[in-house]
Amino acid sequence: MIRIHFTAEDLLGTRFADGPAPLMELELAVAMLQRPDEDRAFARRHRLLGTPAARAAAP
């Protein structure tokens, strides 16, 4: 694990987008759901739904 420590000056220099980027959010969400890793947040989903390839082959 890598830990990164930010100072108050680092955080004060942080900029945010003027608004959300819906297509980017959608792309990242779909990519996260399709990852076959051991992420506990999606482990139940993968167990219940199977892999993306298995779902695509289902009738």
Side-chain angles (χ1 to χ4, degrees), residues 34-54:
Q34 290 178 341
R35 288 179 53 186
D37 59 4
E38 301 84 32
D39 189 355
R40 292 180 189 255
F42 297 107
R44 183 169 182 258
R45 176 196 171 271
H46 287 295
R47 244 188 351 267
L48 294 174
L49 300 177
T51 63

Side-chain angles (χ1 to χ4, degrees), residues 3-36:
R3 287 191 176 184
I4 301 173
H5 297 275
F6 294 101
T7 65
E9 291 83 24
D10 295 329
L11 296 176
L12 288 173
T14 303
R15 298 184 331 162
F16 295 93
D18 292 333
L23 291 178
M24 181 61 82
E25 293 287 335
L26 178 62
E27 179 182 349
L28 292 172
V30 169
M32 180 65 132
L33 290 173
Q34 290 178 341
R35 288 179 53 186

